Amino acid sequence: TSMEPTGSGCAAVPTDGDGSFAGMAEDPAATAASNNPLLSTLVTAVGEADLVDTLNGPGPFTIFAPTNDAFAKIPAADLDAVLADKDTLTKILTLHVVSGKMSSSELVEAGTVASLEGSDLTIEQAGDALTVNGANVVCQDVPTANATVFLIDSVMMPS
């Protein structure tokens, strides 16, 4: 089934080029994210955690990608500390990744999905709005070559 990216945050995605939805659909997840200007902080974090090869691997994945605005909610000193702590950073980032390519409707139907970090993520829908562990999905069902990406407005933290 073909999915169309939807959500208020989708308007901020470039309309053409490598960072556009069409461009991202041709690239594996980490490469696609690196071309999207909304995800530059996430791309830095993925690089620091040495997860680029994993996220560009065969997958398939469902990825909840915090936008730059999501990372901006974290005090700068805290964010710098996390970026410098590879173990903590890896736990945080793998909490945002689920094995298998799932659409928003499949996620809502499942209700709970297991992250690569090991914690369960709770998916809730209210009208057109989707949340994952309380983080708002601002752009959903973004296809990449090996993943379905959901842009979220908060960075989820492992418990």
Side-chain angles (χ1 to χ4, degrees), residues 50-123:
D50 288 335
L51 290 172
V52 173
D53 290 345
T54 301
L55 296 180
N56 273 345
F61 303 113
T62 298
I63 300 172
F64 299 100
T67 61
N68 294 340
D69 288 346
F71 281 101
K73 292 179 181 180
I74 301 171
D78 295 353
L79 183 59
D80 290 345
V82 166
L83 288 173
D85 181 344
K86 190 173 169 184
D87 289 344
T88 301
L89 184 60
T90 299
K91 276 191 183 133
I92 292 169
L93 293 174
T94 54
L95 180 66
H96 291 74
V97 181
V98 174
S99 185
K101 237 177 174 175
M102 298 177 78
S103 67
S104 53
S105 55
E106 290 167 329
L107 288 168
V108 169
E109 197 174 305
T112 306
V113 291
S115 72
L116 295 187
E117 181 266 342
S119 300
D120 283 342
L121 302 176
T122 302
I123 312 297

Side-chain angles (χ1 to χ4, degrees), residues 132-150:
V132 53
N133 277 20
N136 295 303
V137 175
V138 296
C139 185
Q140 64 193 27
D141 295 319
V142 178
T144 70
N146 66 342
T148 304
V149 177
F150 294 78

Side-chain angles (χ1 to χ4, degrees), residues 8-31:
S8 61
C10 293
V13 173
T15 53
D16 57 22
D18 290 340
S20 68
F21 293 128
M24 289 177 70
E26 296 173 9
D27 290 322
T31 301

